[in-house]
Amino acid sequence: MSFINLMAREINCKIVYYGPGLCGKTTNLQYIYERTNPEAKGKMISLATETDRTLFFDFLPLALGEIRGFKTRFYLYTVPGQVFYDASRKLILKGVDGVVFVADSQIARMEANQESLENLRTNLAEQGYSLDKLPYVIQYNKRDMPDIGSVEELRELLNPTNVPEFEACARTGVGVFDTLKAVAKLVLTELKRGGP
Amino acid sequence: MVNPQMVMYEEEFNQIQTVVDHLVKSANARSVFIVDKNGQLIAASGDVEHLDTTSLASLTAGNIAATGGMAKLLKENEFATQFHEGERANVYIMLVGNRVILVVIFDAKSSLGLVRLRVKKASEELNHIFENLLKKVAEPGGESPFAEITDEDIDNLFND
């Protein structure tokens, strides 16, 4: 749910990075954080375990600039990917304006991708959202790893509705900003239409 | 969609700011925030210059969301208040009308009793303001201020 402050002329939107454990959601945010001008970003917060696994969420506020005199801010969140943190994942999805599904391209993680995507649909539905109606893009991450599925295979398994998709290597940054820009554009276009 | 867009108008913004400014003084607090349940900062007052209000807002909302999740598991409606006691700063958090979160940061110059007392009155006032605001947002004909933006405007945002 976007928040428009007519007084301060601000618009804030929430984007959630979803995906299976170790697929690179936090790495996406870290790369964005490293490559963004200091004046355009706030502090990145990571609520993680001692072994650096996301425990609750990562949070990164980004100021994109002005659109018709409104300061446009995007709040990026990741969810904890590990299966047993489902209760926390549901909470992060509240009020979401746009979703990035980060898939792990490695063949060994295909089942985990499918499970996570199914979990995303279920958790959104519980809150009255439908993934098909939300601004939503997919990122095929870890394209630099050995033993990965082809984009065609990934598409068939994970992207039957043909939403915008991006190949990425979040560690080196390939595809990270393309993904972010695509989902941010979809969110703003939705806002223009008067939703969500 | 389940959530209507949250729009803040000048009239309600000023009313909220007045309540928050007053609460800082009456509760002898260091600072007071109003945060929406999704983690967006709505208003702040007091000594906020050196605080990372954006991060605080997001963490407060996460905190309230987690507590709400616990309440649900325990078949409670909600845990409306939380209190965190530190060595120098204390934080009192209250969920107002199950919609927005009131956060009061105070030190030894005040006390939990005083904060509780003043927050009770402020939360009633805030509840009233937000009820009116929600009615206003839900009124038909309130066109999105973004209806006129073009695809070009959106593209321009990404052209640097």
Side-chain angles (χ1 to χ4, degrees), chain B residues 10-81:
Chain B
E10 187 173 348
E11 187 188 350
E12 283 77 12
F13 183 83
N14 288 336
Q15 289 171 352
I16 293 165
Q17 193 64 49
T18 306
V19 174
V20 170
D21 287 342
H22 183 249
L23 182 57
V24 171
K25 288 193 195 107
S26 68
N28 238 348
R30 246 202 241 171
S31 46
V32 173
F33 304 89
I34 305 284
V35 178
D36 120 314
K37 273 180 101 180
N38 298 321
Q40 328 241 19
L41 183 71
I42 295 173
S45 186
D47 182 16
V48 291
E49 258 178 47
H50 307 292
L51 283 177
D52 180 353
T53 49
T54 310
S55 298
L56 269 171
S58 156
L59 288 171
T60 304
N63 198 334
I64 282 285
T67 315
M70 282 164 56
K72 215 171 155 189
L73 291 174
L74 296 172
K75 306 218 173 353
E76 273 292 324
N77 195 14
E78 65 186 40
F79 295 120
T81 60

Side-chain angles (χ1 to χ4, degrees), chain B residues 104-125:
Chain B
V104 182
I105 301 178
F106 64 97
D107 53 26
K109 285 185 204 145
S110 186
S111 68
L112 179 59
L114 178 67
V115 170
R116 265 181 202 270
L117 185 72
R118 302 302 188 207
V119 158
K120 195 165 181 289
K121 183 162 181 293
S123 72
E124 282 162 14
E125 290 171 8

Side-chain angles (χ1 to χ4, degrees), chain A:
Chain A
M1 181 186 59
S2 52
F3 177 81
I4 301 171
N5 188 334
L6 295 175
M7 177 77 180
R9 296 191 75 76
E10 278 177 7
I11 162 109
N12 300 330
C13 307
K14 175 174 180 176
I15 292 174
V16 174
Y17 282 68
Y18 212 92
L22 294 174
C23 69
K25 301 173 289 292
T26 301
T27 313
N28 262 271
L29 259 64
Q30 280 167 342
Y31 187 82
I32 294 164
Y33 180 77
E34 281 161 18
R35 292 303 167 103
T36 305
N37 291 332
E39 64 272 19
K41 68 185 175 193
K43 211 187 244 169
M44 178 163 165
I45 289 181
S46 288
L47 302 180
T49 66
E50 283 178 357
T51 53
D52 270 341
R53 301 296 304 270
T54 303
L55 177 64
F56 196 3
F57 58 79
D58 303 302
F59 168 71
L60 174 60
L62 278 187
L64 275 190
E66 286 197 5
I67 193 159
R68 297 259 167 147
F70 277 81
K71 277 180 234 151
T72 314
R73 286 211 191 95
F74 281 87
Y75 291 158
L76 311 185
Y77 284 83
T78 65
V79 297
Q82 294 179 85
V83 175
F84 53 88
Y85 288 136
D86 198 39
S88 309
R89 268 196 297 280
K90 284 181 196 177
L91 300 175
I92 310 299
L93 282 175
K94 281 187 182 168
V96 65
D97 293 303
V99 177
V100 175
F101 184 81
V102 182
D104 189 327
S105 294
Q106 298 176 98
I107 289 168
R109 298 296 287 162
M110 279 313 134
E111 218 177 298
N113 286 329
Q114 284 175 293
E115 261 176 37
S116 176
L117 190 55
E118 196 49 44
N119 177 255
L120 169 62
R121 282 191 181 276
T122 309
N123 285 344
L124 282 172
E126 259 182 42
Q127 303 188 35
Y129 293 103
S130 158
L131 185 59
D132 300 321
K133 288 183 185 152
L134 272 179
Y136 163 51
V137 303
I138 293 191
Q139 179 186 81
Y140 305 130
N141 194 22
K142 304 200 184 180
R143 298 309 294 167
D144 58 334
M145 297 292 273
D147 298 325
I148 55 171
S150 70
V151 170
E152 289 71 29
E153 284 169 327
L154 287 157
R155 184 180 300 139
E156 202 185 318
L157 281 175
L158 306 171
N159 191 9
T161 51
N162 251 323
V163 298
E165 54 186 19
F166 300 89
E167 290 185 61
C169 173
R171 258 190 329 154
T172 57
V174 176
V176 168
F177 276 97
D178 293 335
T179 310
L180 173 63
K181 281 177 187 176
V183 74
K185 268 190 192 184
L186 289 178
V187 168
L188 290 171
T189 308
E190 186 65 29
L191 208 63
K192 183 183 147 187
R193 293 199 337 203

Side-chain angles (χ1 to χ4, degrees), chain B residues 142-156:
Chain B
E143 205 170 78
S144 163
F146 291 91
E148 286 176 14
I149 61 170
T150 61
D151 291 345
E152 205 185 342
D153 289 332
I154 295 174
D155 281 334
N156 284 340

